[in-house]
Amino acid sequence: MTQPLRIGIAGLGTVGIGVVKIIRRQADLLKARTGRPIVISAVSARDASKDRGVSLSGFDWESDPVALATRDDVDVFVELMGGSEGAAKDAIEAALAAGKDVVTANKALLAIHGQALAETAEAAGRVIRYEAAVAGGIPVIKALTEGLAGNEITRVMGVMNGTCNYILTNMEARGLGYNALFDECAELGYLEADPNLDVGGIDAAHKLAILAAIAFGTQPNFDAVELEGIQHITLEDIRQAADMGYRIKLLGVARPTPRGLEQRMKPCLVPRDSALGQLEGGTNMVVIEGDAVEQVVLRGPGAGEGPTASAVLGDICDLARGLRLATFGQPATGLTRAAPASSGLPAPYYLRMNLADKPGALAKVASILGDAGVSIDRMRQYGHDEATAPVLIVTHKTTRQALDVALEAFSDTDVVAGPAVALRIETV
Amino acid sequence: MTQPLRIGIAGLGTVGIGVVKIIRRQADLLKARTGRPIVISAVSARDASKDRGVSLSGFDWESDPVALATRDDVDVFVELMGGSEGAAKDAIEAALAAGKDVVTANKALLAIHGQALAETAEAAGRVIRYEAAVAGGIPVIKALTEGLAGNEITRVMGVMNGTCNYILTNMEARGLGYNALFDECAELGYLEADPNLDVGGIDAAHKLAILAAIAFGTQPNFDAVELEGIQHITLEDIRQAADMGYRIKLLGVARPTPRGLEQRMKPCLVPRDSALGQLEGGTNMVVIEGDAVEQVVLRGPGAGEGPTASAVLGDICDLARGLRLATFGQPATGLTRAAPASSGLPAPYYLRMNLADKPGALAKVASILGDAGVSIDRMRQYGHDEATAPVLIVTHKTTRQALDVALEAFSDTDVVAGPAVALRIETV
């Protein structure tokens, strides 16, 4: 195989330009490793005249990504436009129909339409690779699909949105509120055009749905991910959680349960001294647990030109080397439809509430928890100058249902002021 | 491809039995993922009558691993006997000559004879996979060879001998000396038959030589690894290093320098709060740095039945899926012979010495360092009841040569009692 691998790149934003730079800068290295030259035949982007800081004059331009995807001189269509609908999806479908392999960084598309695309690719005898769609530069798709293929996966967890982790860790480190850090992220360009994709947890949930499909041999099912963003996390909760030995992370968790597949992307507490607890700033981390390997932890940059382009190049090199694999690691037609296990397995919870300064208030709270079958592991009540006192409780393992009964009962008393905060504690 | 992949396993120790168990327990899962059954045709071990806790009655037995490796009903020869010479090497060569692919966990063999074996495999059109040879359950060979193939690798580092890390972290945590923990490891079965493979750093250096070959496209060259074990690390150094904000690790580092390829496996200091510094017990960690990806950190169990078998199965699944790759990621005949860069790039160093309680003693030390061109970043002198006082120095970046000049000069004075300890500080 000494014929060049010819690629067409649609989308010349940060990642697309990063890919162009690597292919140009490391041409010799890539050829030595894959045994053949990797060449760019043509590119496509909205604005052909924009200065992107790198010469594109050697490549043909296509204004239409579908035209790019179906060119005779393109073996691999590299989709870096993004978006779960429209141009990206059309172009990928056109590429597969025209007998091209596809490399994409498009997590939304795969989380939502991954099953249909995988079936299309399979029928066409083509492959779709998407290392860059999950956790940026960390080769986690490869680790899970190939390296750990001998494992029955028992749990996949990840902090996979760098912006959320930046906000949460800076709230604690700098004592700033959520809004101040949200504004800072907007100024720094850390937010998607629709910021809810980041802070609402949607982007990270897309990634989780993809990992779950590979891990458990199930059809990707983004709609089944229980979703909660970080918008309501307060500095007080971050500080109180820290005081109890925890950090708050937007953590994705997927695992099989007797009632179906649990998939959730929600703020939860992890021990401060765990690998997840110590993850700072925009870095991503994925934890994979299997029956044989026990636990593997992967950490790296979750975004940025170089790291994301590195992941795209990993896929391109695989294809250049003839390494071909079913989209989610096994035939798409064999992927099962998992029932969603909506509220997860029992877990300990962190509770914070403001208790009225009345005799018997704490006894009332304890009694409500006891009646709901929720037992208390640790409790702290803080000194105060006001009419209410902050109370922190860490429960033993309980179901969310039992906890909801207690939370409901709290609101019917006159001893708990305002709603209680309840966050799951993930055992890691 | 619905024909079964037929394997023969030579070596039925912990790992071999782990592989048998997974293939039996997860037959359906492996078939779903690879598209074909994975079956064991025959096995080989020294003692056929030994009870290994798992039934082997369904497999043919071969007393001679070469006979096993060349059987007509074996597609992949799985070598789990170990040892850089003798039976393992003979059987692998026989397997390649007979047109079989090879999966092995044998780090010594690959570090020492990897180049010749890779050339043999290439000439025969066969592949050798060895995920289990480095860092146990962590899929690091795959991450480096494939996932990060788009990167010019700038540094690879790793804590890759769990026994050494167990000893070093327990010295600090439990305040025990090296000898007590060495004895404990012997009792727990954590040591190789020749313990120098572990505590002398040889085992970890084998792994480093393999990673360096992949990372830098060079022929594996174990002899060029600068090697130093942990036998001389004292509790006092561990405590003093901690006091200065560091931990001592047996850390392997490989990186290209202007003078050649630096490969060293030596105790050195890393910041306490870094991922490497926080690595506890027998867990392994590999850090890969590339021009595009920046830094990826992989952590997981470095040994044990399940994790090592997981890595072996990763390779077997690759072969079942038709994923085939050159041994060190590119044609063996194209690997370069790197000149060894013996003493590495400049680095900060940690120095500990006992200073005589004489006027001008510290001035003398400072003046010797200054004359050698070594500048002091931080210094601590401790109170004492004896005739000498412990002094700790962290230098600015310096060459080992300049430092050796100073160490030599110390020994010619009457103000430094006994030899000074000098350990490199690795920037991570």
Side-chain angles (χ1 to χ4, degrees):
Chain A
M1 265 206 291
T2 49
Q3 286 181 315
L5 185 81
R6 303 164 304 170
I7 70 172
I9 303 174
L12 292 173
T14 308
V15 180
I17 292 301
V19 171
V20 170
K21 284 183 189 168
I22 293 179
I23 289 176
R24 189 170 277 156
R25 184 174 75 227
Q26 302 293 3
D28 293 344
L29 184 70
L30 297 173
K31 187 178 172 189
R33 288 185 178 155
T34 67
R36 54 201 289 207
I38 292 170
V39 299
I40 299 170
S41 297
V43 296
S44 167
R46 280 199 198 118
D47 180 358
S49 63
K50 184 174 166 186
D51 180 4
R52 294 177 168 85
V54 54
S55 165
L56 301 166
S57 60
F59 316 132
D60 280 3
W61 269 85
E62 295 280 0
S63 54
D64 176 8
V66 168
L68 176 75
T70 55
R71 281 171 68 107
D72 286 343
D73 61 357
V74 164
D75 303 311
V76 177
F77 175 59
V78 179
E79 186 277 303
L80 302 172
M81 298 180 287
S84 64
E85 314 295 331
K89 182 160 176 278
D90 294 345
I92 287 177
E93 287 170 346
L96 294 172
K100 318 296 188 187
D101 293 318
V102 171
V103 171
T104 177
N106 195 328
K107 57 220 75 160
L109 179 65
L110 285 166
I112 294 168
H113 299 295
Q115 181 62 26
L117 288 170
E119 289 178 15
T120 303
E122 207 161 288
R126 295 293 106 194
V127 303
I128 305 175
R129 301 316 302 156
Y130 49 88
E131 187 62 80
V134 180
I138 306 174
V140 61
I141 298 296
K142 186 166 275 287
L144 184 60
T145 317
E146 302 169 47
L148 301 174
N151 286 265
E152 183 175 332
I153 303 297
T154 50
R155 182 169 62 163
V156 178
M157 295 187 287
V159 171
M160 297 183 286
N161 183 280
T163 303
C164 287
N165 203 51
Y166 178 88
I167 290 175
L168 293 172
T169 54
N170 277 276
M171 284 173 75
E172 180 174 353
R174 292 156 64 196
L176 296 173
Y178 170 81
N179 290 328
L181 280 156
F182 179 90
D183 292 346
E184 180 175 308
C185 284
E187 277 171 36
L188 291 168
Y190 288 180
L191 287 166
E192 301 271 353
D194 172 5
N196 196 41
L197 288 175
D198 289 310
V199 297
I202 297 169
D203 165 81
H206 288 147
K207 298 168 184 169
L208 185 71
I210 294 170
L211 292 181
I214 303 167
F216 307 113
T218 52
Q219 299 184 5
N221 188 356
F222 169 70
D223 288 338
V225 182
E226 279 191 87
L227 194 56
E228 187 182 311
I230 64 166
Q231 302 97 326
H232 303 298
I233 300 297
T234 64
L235 187 54
E236 186 173 3
D237 278 315
I238 285 179
R239 285 179 169 159
Q240 306 293 31
D243 196 42
M244 301 290 268
Y246 298 100
R247 284 215 163 98
I248 300 177
K249 297 286 170 192
L250 178 65
L251 184 69
V253 179
R255 62 176 166 181
T257 79
R259 288 175 301 108
L261 181 62
E262 179 178 341
Q263 293 185 81
R264 59 190 149 80
M265 180 58 68
K266 292 185 170 188
C268 69
L269 274 63
V270 295
R272 274 182 84 91
D273 59 358
S274 64
L276 283 165
Q278 290 169 345
L279 190 70
E280 301 284 340
T283 309
N284 281 17
M285 181 173 283
V286 179
V287 179
I288 305 172
E289 293 171 348
D291 63 341
V293 81
E294 298 163 11
Q295 186 186 69
V296 169
V297 179
L298 313 173
R299 198 190 82 178
E305 178 184 305
T308 314
S310 164
V312 172
L313 259 296
D315 287 339
I316 293 172
C317 288
D318 269 7
L319 293 172
R321 282 164 158 164
L323 306 179
R324 305 176 65 80
L325 203 62
T327 307
F328 297 106
Q330 52 183 287
T333 45
L335 297 171
T336 58
R337 284 169 167 276
S342 63
S343 55
L345 295 171
Y349 279 81
Y350 154 96
L351 304 178
R352 179 174 63 80
M353 64 194 78
N354 286 309
L355 211 58
D357 193 2
K358 296 180 182 176
L362 196 59
K364 183 74 185 162
V365 164
S367 136
I368 286 173
L369 287 169
D371 289 348
V374 178
S375 71
I376 296 174
D377 179 18
R378 288 186 290 152
M379 196 275 296
R380 284 187 193 174
Q381 181 168 348
Y382 289 86
H384 59 104
D385 302 320
E386 295 165 31
T388 61
V391 170
L392 306 184
I393 293 171
V394 171
T395 74
H396 284 290
K397 274 192 183 181
T398 179
T399 62
R400 181 74 212 197
Q401 288 88 336
L403 196 68
D404 284 340
V405 169
L407 293 175
E408 176 85 23
F410 289 155
S411 65
D412 293 342
T413 69
D414 57 356
V415 301
V416 176
V421 171
L423 293 170
R424 185 185 177 103
I425 299 173
E426 188 72 22
T427 307
V428 297
Chain B
M1 265 206 291
T2 49
Q3 286 182 314
L5 185 81
R6 303 164 303 170
I7 71 172
I9 303 175
L12 293 172
T14 308
V15 180
I17 292 299
V19 171
V20 170
K21 284 184 189 168
I22 293 179
I23 290 176
R24 191 169 278 158
R25 184 174 75 227
Q26 301 294 3
D28 293 344
L29 184 70
L30 296 172
K31 187 178 173 190
R33 288 185 178 154
T34 66
R36 54 201 286 206
I38 292 169
V39 299
I40 299 170
S41 297
V43 296
S44 167
R46 279 198 200 119
D47 181 358
S49 63
K50 185 174 166 185
D51 180 5
R52 292 175 169 87
V54 54
S55 165
L56 302 165
S57 59
F59 317 132
D60 280 3
W61 269 85
E62 294 279 359
S63 54
D64 177 8
V66 168
L68 176 74
T70 54
R71 282 171 66 108
D72 287 343
D73 62 358
V74 164
D75 303 311
V76 177
F77 175 59
V78 180
E79 186 277 302
L80 302 172
M81 298 180 285
S84 63
E85 315 294 332
K89 183 161 176 279
D90 294 345
I92 287 177
E93 287 169 345
L96 295 171
K100 319 297 186 185
D101 293 319
V102 171
V103 171
T104 176
N106 195 328
K107 57 220 76 162
L109 179 65
L110 286 166
I112 295 168
H113 300 294
Q115 181 63 26
L117 288 171
E119 290 179 14
T120 303
E122 207 162 288
R126 296 293 104 194
V127 303
I128 304 175
R129 301 316 302 156
Y130 49 88
E131 186 63 80
V134 179
I138 306 174
V140 60
I141 299 296
K142 187 167 275 286
L144 184 61
T145 317
E146 302 169 47
L148 301 173
N151 286 266
E152 182 175 332
I153 303 297
T154 50
R155 182 169 63 164
V156 178
M157 295 188 286
V159 170
M160 298 183 286
N161 184 279
T163 303
C164 287
N165 204 51
Y166 178 89
I167 290 175
L168 293 172
T169 54
N170 277 278
M171 283 172 75
E172 180 174 352
R174 292 157 62 196
L176 295 174
Y178 170 81
N179 291 329
L181 279 156
F182 179 90
D183 293 345
E184 180 176 309
C185 284
E187 277 172 36
L188 291 169
Y190 288 180
L191 287 165
E192 301 271 355
D194 172 5
N196 197 39
L197 287 175
D198 289 309
V199 298
I202 298 169
D203 164 82
H206 288 147
K207 298 168 184 167
L208 185 71
I210 294 170
L211 292 181
I214 303 167
F216 307 112
T218 52
Q219 300 185 2
N221 187 356
F222 168 70
D223 289 339
V225 182
E226 278 191 87
L227 194 56
E228 188 182 310
I230 64 165
Q231 304 97 326
H232 303 299
I233 300 298
T234 63
L235 186 55
E236 186 171 5
D237 278 315
I238 285 178
R239 285 178 169 159
Q240 306 292 29
D243 196 43
M244 301 291 268
Y246 298 100
R247 283 216 164 98
I248 300 177
K249 297 286 171 191
L250 179 66
L251 184 69
V253 179
R255 62 176 165 181
T257 79
R259 289 176 298 107
L261 181 62
E262 180 179 340
Q263 294 185 83
R264 58 190 149 79
M265 179 60 66
K266 292 186 171 188
C268 68
L269 274 63
V270 294
R272 273 182 84 89
D273 59 359
S274 64
L276 283 165
Q278 290 169 346
L279 191 69
E280 301 285 339
T283 310
N284 281 18
M285 181 173 284
V286 179
V287 179
I288 305 172
E289 293 171 348
D291 63 342
V293 79
E294 298 165 10
Q295 187 186 69
V296 170
V297 179
L298 312 173
R299 198 189 81 178
E305 177 184 305
T308 314
S310 164
V312 172
L313 259 296
D315 287 339
I316 293 173
C317 287
D318 270 8
L319 293 172
R321 283 164 158 165
L323 306 179
R324 305 175 65 80
L325 203 62
T327 307
F328 297 105
Q330 52 183 286
T333 46
L335 297 172
T336 59
R337 284 171 167 276
S342 63
S343 56
L345 295 171
Y349 279 81
Y350 154 96
L351 304 177
R352 179 173 62 81
M353 63 194 78
N354 287 310
L355 210 59
D357 193 2
K358 297 179 182 177
L362 197 57
K364 183 73 186 164
V365 164
S367 135
I368 287 173
L369 287 169
D371 290 347
V374 177
S375 71
I376 296 174
D377 178 19
R378 288 187 290 152
M379 195 276 296
R380 285 188 192 173
Q381 180 167 348
Y382 289 84
H384 59 104
D385 302 321
E386 295 164 31
T388 61
V391 170
L392 306 184
I393 293 170
V394 171
T395 74
H396 284 291
K397 275 192 184 183
T398 179
T399 62
R400 181 74 211 198
Q401 289 88 337
L403 197 68
D404 284 340
V405 168
L407 293 174
E408 175 85 23
F410 289 155
S411 66
D412 293 342
T413 70
D414 56 355
V415 301
V416 176
V421 171
L423 293 169
R424 184 185 176 104
I425 299 173
E426 188 73 22
T427 307
V428 297

